[in-house]
Amino acid sequence: MLINKAYKFRLYPSKEQETLIAKTIGCSRFVFNRFLGQWNDTYQETGKGLTYSSCSAELTQLKKEFVWLKEVDSIALQSSLKNLADSFTRFFKKQNKAPRIKSKKNQVQSYTTKETNSNIAIVDNKIKLPKLGYVRLA
């Protein structure tokens, strides 16, 4: 049996870390909305949507076009693409409504990252996060 665990922490980032967190959330939203538009256009033209792998390959080209996408955690950008692909899969199975544009005005802003090669670790009262370094937590 596979058991997934999730933890919630209260973070106390420095000003620089707050800025980087805001950039990461903004970049994740940008990637989600851009590929949502491409996905909808492709679906209207061909009747079929895109795939996660095609979007992921295009994301590397997008990073060359928009250099500021390299400043943030790449796993967070991949996660937003994965969320988009999953939401379209659920939409086509008639489990959910069609995915909508992510808004900056939404009260709850977040991003998701994954633990790979021990890039996330808890040391004393700090958590080590990709690109952020050590952030105080409670």
Side-chain angles (χ1 to χ4, degrees):
M1 177 193 323
L2 179 66
I3 297 175
N4 292 323
K5 290 185 178 183
Y7 299 98
K8 281 190 176 183
F9 298 104
R10 173 73 172 120
L11 299 179
Y12 298 97
S14 66
K15 292 292 183 191
E16 297 85 22
Q17 290 170 334
E18 280 182 18
T19 305
L20 192 56
I21 289 170
K23 282 183 182 180
T24 305
I25 291 170
C27 289
S28 296
R29 184 175 50 248
F30 171 79
V31 167
F32 185 92
N33 291 340
R34 181 165 178 122
F35 283 103
L36 175 64
Q38 286 184 2
W39 206 300
N40 288 334
D41 293 342
T42 305
Y43 183 72
Q44 287 176 353
E45 291 171 7
T46 64
K48 292 183 179 180
L50 300 172
T51 61
Y52 169 74
S53 56
S54 66
C55 290
S56 180
E58 194 173 330
L59 181 61
T60 57
Q61 299 300 320
L62 199 64
K63 283 185 179 181
K64 292 177 184 172
E65 184 179 342
F66 299 105
V67 181
W68 42 268
L69 287 174
K70 291 182 181 179
E71 295 176 13
V72 300
D73 181 19
S74 62
I75 298 171
L77 301 180
Q78 291 290 338
S79 294
S80 66
L81 272 183
K82 193 69 165 164
N83 291 341
L84 178 64
D86 290 343
S87 62
F88 267 109
T89 302
R90 288 192 305 274
F91 169 67
F92 290 130
K93 289 181 180 178
K94 308 233 186 292
Q95 294 175 342
N96 281 3
K97 294 181 181 178
R100 297 180 300 176
I101 292 176
K102 301 282 185 198
S103 173
K104 190 175 185 178
K105 295 179 181 178
N106 189 356
Q107 291 285 337
V108 179
Q109 298 286 323
S110 65
Y111 75 92
T112 305
T113 188
K114 289 193 306 188
E115 194 269 333
T116 54
N117 298 328
S118 65
N119 62 348
I120 298 175
I122 296 176
V123 179
D124 296 330
N125 63 341
K126 296 181 180 178
I127 185 168
K128 179 183 158 206
L129 294 172
K131 297 276 185 163
L132 284 175
Y134 289 96
V135 183
R136 288 188 321 121
L137 66 89

